[in-house]
């Protein structure tokens, strides 16, 4: 959509030239780049206004409900925003995830923008995330956007409420309505070191009998301080796809240890490569 708006902006200039004499004057050459920039940002702003209105009308007091139309809009908007913010998501191993598959995506958590990176990398998976309940109070607009994408809040301080969220997430995944994205650390890691897992969250996989895509992400904490100013490269790797048949007979603790080890090894390698690239 970013490039479509660029093309439309360029196409509108000769159209205007047919109606306004001022564009045909020798001294009006400077209007061309001004109009091009104005048209482009006009399209982008209009796009964002439509998106914001759609998000704002979400009712978080009702069960989360996704629509194909909003998912399409999200899949268009996210890459456009990343392009404007000069963020590039470098994805490795994406071919391990079948197109349109419904899976449990498990990833480490470095920043609140991690879900956006996963959505941009796997648009056809239609991922809905498990998010902390505090988001609905502290960031209501973000919560409404999540609600539109089948995301579910979880109350970590209430075991019974947390269990209901896990059951509902498993139901969504098993029914094929959405994939589920899970950050088993439970919190963002301020140091980017991998935190201990809350292994109970893996029950979503057991209940839904879903395959698990194990991912690792690095460098998202750099986005806020570099946004718009310098290009930021986010590294996202699909480390493994664990079939349900391969983990159904082991405990959540054993599964968590296996995934934790895979992530820790990958993150250590990614940070090592990142440090060398800065030298």
């Amino acid at each position: 959509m970013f490039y479509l708006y660029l093309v439309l902006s360029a196409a509108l200039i000769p159209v205007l030239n047919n109606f306004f004499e001022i564009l045909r004057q020798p001294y009006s050459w400077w209007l061309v780049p001004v109009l091009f920039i104005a048209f482009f940002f006009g399209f982008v702003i209009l796009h964002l206004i439509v998106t914001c209105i759609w998000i704002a009308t979400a009712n978080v007091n009702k069960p989360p409900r996704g629509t194909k139309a909003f998912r399409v809009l999200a899949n268009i908007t996210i890459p456009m925003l990343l392009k404007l913010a000069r963020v590039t998501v470098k994805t490795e191993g994406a071919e391990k995830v079948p197109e349109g598959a419904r899976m449990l995506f498990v990833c480490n958590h470095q920043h609140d923008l991690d879900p956006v990176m996963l959505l941009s990398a796997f648009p056809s998976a239609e991922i809905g995330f498990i998010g902390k309940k505090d988001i609905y109070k502290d960031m209501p607009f973000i919560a409404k956007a999540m609600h539109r994408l089948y995301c579910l809040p979880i109350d970590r301080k209430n075991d019974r409420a947390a269990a209901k969220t896990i059951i509902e997430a498993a139901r969504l995944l098993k029914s094929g309505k959405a994939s589920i994205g899970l950050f088993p650390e439970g919190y963002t890691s301020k140091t980017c070191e991998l935190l201990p897992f809350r292994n109970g969250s893996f029950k979503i996989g057991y209940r839904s009998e879903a395959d698990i895509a194990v991912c690792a992400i690095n460098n998202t904490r750099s986005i806020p301080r570099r946004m718009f100013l310098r290009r930021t490269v986010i590294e996202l790797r699909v480390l493994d796809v664990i079939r349900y048949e391969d983990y159904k007979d082991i405990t959540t603790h054993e599964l968590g240890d296996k995934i934790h080890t895979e992530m820790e090894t990958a993150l250590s390698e990614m940070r090592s490569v990142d440090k060398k690239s800065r030298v």
Side-chain angles (χ1 to χ4, degrees):
M1 190 58 71
F2 183 89
Y3 295 108
L4 176 61
Y5 289 157
L6 287 174
V7 172
L8 287 174
S9 300
L12 276 176
I13 294 174
V15 172
L16 278 181
N17 194 46
N18 291 328
F19 295 96
F20 297 98
E21 287 289 336
I22 191 172
L23 293 177
R24 303 175 196 172
Q25 302 303 320
Y27 57 79
S28 64
W29 60 268
W30 58 272
L31 279 175
V32 174
V34 171
L35 286 172
F36 176 80
I37 294 171
F39 286 145
F40 173 72
F41 281 104
F43 281 126
V44 171
I45 291 169
L46 181 61
H47 180 114
L48 294 178
I49 288 173
V50 171
T51 304
C52 288
I53 291 173
W54 204 335
I55 291 171
T57 56
N59 186 349
V60 296
N61 295 317
K62 292 183 178 181
R65 182 165 88 54
T67 63
K68 288 291 183 183
F70 185 78
R71 182 68 69 167
V72 169
L73 181 63
N75 289 343
I76 292 171
T77 304
I78 289 171
M80 184 177 70
L81 291 177
L82 292 179
K83 183 75 70 175
L84 290 171
R86 302 188 66 187
V87 174
T88 301
V89 183
K90 179 184 174 185
T91 307
E92 295 181 21
E95 69 280 355
K96 298 174 185 177
V97 179
E99 189 75 14
R102 297 292 179 265
M103 310 180 76
L104 178 61
F105 286 81
V106 178
C107 190
N108 63 301
H109 205 8
Q110 295 186 351
H111 194 272
D112 291 337
L113 290 170
D114 292 335
V116 177
M117 306 305 137
L118 286 169
L119 287 169
S120 72
F122 306 103
S124 70
E126 300 191 357
I127 307 174
F129 292 90
I130 303 293
K132 57 185 179 181
K133 188 180 179 181
D134 297 346
I135 293 174
Y136 283 69
K137 180 178 67 175
D138 300 334
M139 296 182 283
F141 185 79
I142 300 299
K144 288 188 174 189
M146 293 172 60
H147 208 71
R148 287 283 190 195
L149 297 171
Y150 273 127
C151 295
L152 298 168
I154 189 166
D155 187 351
R156 302 189 188 97
K157 297 177 181 178
N158 186 325
D159 291 342
R160 181 173 294 183
K164 287 182 179 179
T165 299
I166 287 172
I167 292 170
E168 176 61 14
R171 186 189 67 78
L172 286 174
L173 182 52
K174 192 165 188 175
S175 67
K177 289 184 177 179
S179 294
I180 296 296
L182 179 66
F183 300 102
E185 293 165 279
Y187 298 92
T188 56
S189 174
K190 306 300 183 184
T191 63
C192 295
E193 298 292 332
L194 194 62
L195 302 176
F197 283 175
R198 295 169 179 266
N199 293 319
S201 57
F202 291 116
K203 290 178 182 178
I204 296 170
Y206 289 88
R207 282 183 169 274
S208 62
E209 301 181 0
D211 296 340
I212 300 175
V214 181
C215 304
I217 195 167
N218 188 49
N219 205 34
T220 47
R221 293 194 71 83
S222 299
I223 295 175
R225 66 174 182 269
R226 297 166 62 104
M227 192 181 296
F228 306 116
L229 302 175
R230 288 187 293 167
R231 190 169 77 100
T232 305
V233 178
I234 306 304
E235 190 171 3
L236 175 63
R237 294 186 188 179
V238 179
L239 309 178
D240 192 11
V241 172
I242 307 175
R243 306 298 174 189
Y244 172 68
E245 291 75 17
D246 296 333
Y247 73 84
K248 65 179 182 179
D249 295 324
I250 63 176
T251 65
T252 56
H253 184 77
E254 291 171 321
L255 177 61
D257 284 348
K258 170 182 169 59
I259 293 174
H260 195 282
T261 299
E262 288 184 2
M263 281 191 193
E264 201 163 40
T265 301
L267 287 169
S268 178
E269 180 186 333
M270 291 158 79
R271 286 195 294 267
S272 175
V273 171
D274 188 41
K275 286 180 181 177
K276 288 179 182 178
S277 66
R278 294 176 189 172
V279 176

